[in-house]
Amino acid sequence: MSHQKSLEKRDGHSTKGIFSSDEPLIMGILNVTPDSFSDGARFNQFDQALAHAEEMIEQGADIIDIGGESTRPGAKAVSESEEIKRVIPLVERVSRLGVPVSVDTSKPGVMRASAEAGAGMINDVRALTEPGALAVVSEIKLPVCLMHMQGQPRTMQHNPSYQDVVSEVKGFLRERIAACVNAGIDTSLIAIDPGFGFGKTLPHNLELLTQLSCFNDLNVPILAGLSRKSMLGQITGRDVNDRLAASLAVALIAMQQGAKIIRVHDVKQTSDVKKIFIATNTAELI
Ligand code: 9MG
């Protein structure tokens, strides 16, 4: 059965089965922060974002990840009401396009509003550590991705330090899975993410990538977000808009290590990588 068919439908929206796919899923990134648009007017931003979501779905996105607060190093926080204003109308509209919408947020109020607007998943870079977040996700019963971050976006790249990055990140994620289960969240609704670039140096990121398969024994799907990240610029010397080849290379490495969701900007090209990965991993060919 194809992964599309394996996605369950609830009230017209694909939800629970989001993590039951055997094939890697492509999560297309849709940022709705003011700096992600060519024009300042809000209605124009909405139209541009919607058109971008439609394009990514056409190109093979399995999930659209909508975020209204930048998590880049040095980024400023936004209020809950501003985040709701930025993302919820789009969540409502994009949810009708036939693929699950994930909402990249750490705020319980945004999580609840997203569920009401038809979102199919929560992507939390703070792994539900904000007060009230665990309770809301337990109540709304949406799949959730728990990401590791050392520090906070504004300062996280100042001096990241670990004794053993893989075991510390894994230990944190194991604890957060346990916290979710204690709060009543079913393990079938949980995914994890080591958080490439979130409070990590290049050697930390490389260790996590080359040992990503170590996270498989947490028995929940792994999400990997490496697309255009600065670690790729550090390796190749290329500017953020010139990191496609590097992003595709690390997407394939992540798939080969067992990542089940790949968060990317370049959906069309990553879809081809996924096809190559599937073709070289199907039983008939082995
Ligand atoms: C929102 N966001 C930015 N980078 C990310 C990453 O690597 N993983 C996840 N889950 N979310 C991210």
Side-chain angles (χ1 to χ4, degrees):
M1 185 196 287
S2 81
H3 73 280
Q4 288 287 2
K5 286 188 198 134
S6 76
L7 296 173
E8 275 179 26
K9 292 269 181 185
R10 192 191 67 180
D11 299 331
H13 303 295
S14 303
T15 55
K16 276 192 176 175
I18 207 169
F19 293 156
S20 66
S21 171
D22 290 334
E23 297 173 357
L25 300 176
I26 296 179
M27 172 184 265
I29 300 170
L30 189 60
N31 286 325
V32 283
T33 52
D35 60 354
S36 37
F37 296 95
S38 55
D39 189 298
R42 217 183 261 275
F43 80 93
N44 251 338
Q45 291 179 4
F46 183 92
D47 287 349
Q48 283 178 48
L50 179 59
H52 190 204
E54 287 169 339
E55 185 186 28
M56 289 195 288
I57 292 167
E58 175 90 22
Q59 292 175 338
D62 302 291
I63 304 170
I64 301 293
D65 190 41
I66 301 182
E69 176 174 29
S70 175
T71 48
R72 288 199 194 115
K76 278 204 209 126
V78 299
S79 69
E80 185 167 283
S81 59
E82 175 60 23
E83 203 178 316
I84 286 177
K85 227 188 289 174
R86 283 182 193 172
V87 302
I88 297 304
L90 204 55
V91 172
E92 248 164 29
R93 185 64 188 86
V94 176
S95 293
R96 286 189 247 138
L97 297 179
V99 305
V101 168
S102 158
V103 179
D104 152 24
T105 186
S106 299
K107 298 187 180 77
V110 181
M111 293 171 183
R112 191 185 297 283
S114 299
E116 284 162 7
M121 172 178 170
I122 301 296
N123 173 27
D124 186 2
V125 299
R126 294 180 182 80
L128 306 183
T129 55
E130 288 294 297
L134 266 175
V136 167
V137 170
S138 170
E139 191 189 319
I140 62 180
K141 298 195 179 348
L142 286 184
V144 62
C145 178
L146 309 169
M147 199 198 78
H148 174 274
M149 164 162 58
Q150 186 178 85
Q152 289 293 321
R154 208 169 48 77
T155 54
M156 66 191 177
Q157 289 308 105
H158 287 181
N159 186 23
S161 98
Y162 302 84
Q163 295 284 326
D164 176 343
V165 66
V166 173
S167 68
E168 286 170 50
V169 170
K170 192 171 169 182
F172 170 83
L173 293 172
R174 188 182 284 112
E175 278 171 23
R176 295 313 298 160
I177 293 169
C180 285
V181 171
N182 282 338
I185 299 170
D186 198 278
T187 46
S188 67
L189 296 178
I190 301 172
I192 48 147
D193 181 342
F196 293 102
F198 284 82
K200 281 130 194 145
T201 62
L202 177 59
H204 296 144
N205 287 317
L206 287 174
E207 205 166 333
L208 286 166
L209 179 59
T210 54
Q211 294 189 50
L212 195 62
S213 62
C214 293
F215 290 82
N216 285 316
D217 63 14
L218 291 176
N219 294 315
V220 293
I222 300 170
L223 187 155
L226 293 139
S227 181
R228 301 185 188 173
K229 286 209 170 155
S230 67
M231 62 180 278
L232 307 180
Q234 288 172 278
I235 297 168
T236 61
R238 298 200 186 279
D239 179 72
V240 65
N241 292 316
D242 196 13
R243 295 179 190 158
L244 174 60
S247 299
L248 298 177
V250 289
L252 182 59
I253 292 169
M255 288 179 200
Q256 287 173 329
Q257 301 251 357
K260 287 288 188 275
I261 304 174
I262 312 292
R263 185 177 182 274
V264 299
H265 299 86
D266 302 292
V267 170
K268 179 175 145 201
Q269 296 86 347
T270 314
S271 280
D272 284 355
V273 170
K274 170 176 159 175
K275 286 176 190 158
I276 299 295
F277 172 79
I278 291 168
T280 54
N281 283 277
T282 46
E284 304 91 84
L285 293 177
I286 295 168

